Amino acid sequence: MSNYVSFRCGLLLALAAILLGTRPMHAWGGKGHQIQARVALANLPAEMPAFFRGSTEEMTMLISEPDRWRSAEEPALDETTGPNHTFRWEIAPKPLPPNRYAFIIELAKQGKIDATTGSVRQYGTAPYGIQEWAEMLTGAFRRWRAMPEKTPDEIARKRMQEKSILFIAGVLGHWVTDVSNPIHASIHVHGWSPSVPNPHGYAGPNDDPHGRYEGKYVDHAIELSDVAPLVDGQARAVGDWLREAEAYIAASNSHVEQIYAWDKQSRFGDGHEPAEARPFTAARLADGARELRDYWYTAWVRSGQPMPAKQKKAANKKGPDE
Ligand SMILES: [Zn+2]
């Protein structure tokens, strides 16, 4: 029976690999994200649980999970989680409002949401995806720490909690690493934005370098061995989730024009890219891997600290769900 099950699983995985290989990928493409998952895990401190540090095979799959939530049968999911893949740093209200809804309300207050399209897609919500899933991971680690594992039932439940933790960490990993691609942290996410001047004649929406850069180029030019030496084992505890995401996205955004300038010199994906693009791209992938390692590590550290006091909500702010 178990042989039959593993045979079936093997077939399904092979089929999934074929299907995933042929569908368009988003942000870094599968290869870039996999490299980042491997480098982030390899540089975690030894104090983190062994099940987490040893999850390389699971994590290389789970880190791309949100890119699989965008099929034709998931239009609502795509609309709500799709914006988490990007952030248009240049046009975002700053400092970032404290949570996703406050952000949308602020955009509305500033007259920035087009009521005819009714979408926040033109802004992106990556820092909020990062914030929410980092909180979720912290809570999941906290519950894991408190779980006994003496009886067979307790042991089984704790193993299940570990699967849940890896899933959450993988999704968080996607949001964190997506915006290490400067194109994902910018208004120039689908070609140089027509909303700003383009004196150098960078590629516009019709010849968008986005997919060519993060997919085609990374596939043929970048290997794990280019990225791994750029990240050391010095894990850093980050501060407030959102303020950290804000600074990290701003830094990534500062690199976007360089990609367009090289693309104008020689199109990404055509195999004749400038040599300097390779260390540059490895550095961007390393930035994402380092940041992810630090988010995972910080969630773990926080989960071992006393639970913060619950902030009281003002009576007049209570909603009908409470
Ligand atoms: Zn993505």
Side-chain angles (χ1 to χ4, degrees):
M1 181 65 183
S2 68
N3 275 349
Y4 175 70
V5 169
S6 64
F7 171 71
R8 289 278 310 260
C9 284
L11 273 184
L12 284 173
L13 282 174
L15 182 63
I18 292 165
L19 291 173
L20 290 170
T22 53
R23 60 176 292 195
M25 297 300 280
H26 309 270
W28 287 130
K31 186 179 180 184
H33 281 302
Q34 284 189 18
I35 289 173
Q36 290 175 305
R38 287 181 190 279
V39 173
L41 280 175
N43 288 287
L44 283 170
E47 69 176 86
M48 288 197 69
F51 83 86
F52 195 93
R53 285 186 288 119
S55 67
T56 311
E57 292 316 310
E58 294 97 321
M59 203 58 79
T60 52
M61 179 194 165
L62 291 170
I63 195 167
S64 286
E65 192 65 7
D67 277 341
R68 303 178 187 118
W69 302 344
R70 316 179 86 170
S71 75
E73 66 183 349
E74 299 156 312
L77 186 63
D78 187 22
E79 190 63 26
T80 48
T81 66
N84 282 354
H85 297 257
T86 59
F87 198 66
R88 271 71 157 179
W89 173 252
E90 297 90 337
I91 54 173
K94 301 175 192 85
L96 296 180
N99 60 59
R100 178 183 299 271
Y101 291 142
F103 172 70
I104 295 169
I105 290 167
E106 182 59 30
L107 290 174
K109 271 191 202 160
Q110 295 184 11
K112 286 180 164 176
I113 292 187
D114 179 351
T116 57
T117 62
S119 172
V120 295
R121 276 190 179 278
Q122 60 266 45
Y123 294 96
T125 53
Y128 298 103
I130 294 171
Q131 176 194 42
E132 291 155 8
W133 287 77
E135 287 185 359
M136 208 188 301
L137 182 61
T138 308
F141 271 141
R142 186 181 294 281
R143 292 188 293 280
W144 181 86
R145 284 177 187 266
M147 289 173 86
E149 48 182 330
K150 291 202 177 69
T151 69
D153 194 42
E154 287 170 353
I155 292 168
R157 287 182 65 81
K158 195 152 185 174
R159 296 295 88 79
M160 284 189 262
Q161 177 68 4
E162 290 166 5
K163 289 188 167 62
S164 177
I165 285 172
L166 294 182
F167 173 78
I168 295 166
V171 176
L172 169 63
H174 192 86
W175 308 140
V176 172
T177 52
D178 255 5
V179 278
S180 66
N181 176 358
I183 288 179
H184 272 251
S186 162
I187 55 172
H188 306 298
V189 62
H190 298 304
W192 195 259
S193 172
S195 67
V196 294
N198 186 4
H200 304 291
Y202 296 142
N206 292 333
D207 191 25
D208 181 7
H210 184 156
R212 292 187 281 104
Y213 175 66
E214 68 187 15
K216 261 183 153 180
Y217 174 65
V218 170
D219 281 353
H220 77 71
I222 308 291
E223 298 301 332
L224 176 64
S225 55
D226 295 309
V227 182
L230 306 180
V231 181
D232 63 22
Q234 299 302 307
R236 173 181 63 103
V238 306
D240 177 83
W241 300 127
L242 192 64
R243 298 283 84 88
E244 173 67 21
E246 190 170 37
Y248 161 65
I249 289 171
S252 177
N253 172 276
S254 71
H255 297 291
V256 71
E257 185 169 356
Q258 181 63 77
I259 297 170
Y260 278 86
W262 278 327
D263 191 58
K264 183 161 170 60
Q265 248 176 296
S266 179
R267 288 175 90 257
F268 276 108
D270 285 0
H272 310 289
E273 300 86 355
E276 314 94 280
R278 203 172 143 208
F280 168 91
T281 303
R284 302 288 73 75
L285 286 159
D287 285 349
R290 197 181 301 109
E291 191 72 16
L292 174 56
R293 184 273 314 274
D294 292 345
Y295 266 95
W296 282 343
Y297 170 64
T298 307
W300 169 250
V301 170
R302 259 177 225 184
S303 73
Q305 295 167 349
M307 175 82 83
K310 195 160 190 174
Q311 288 182 359
K312 274 209 156 163
K313 287 178 186 159
N316 62 0
K317 282 196 179 166
K318 277 204 168 188
D321 62 319
E322 293 174 276

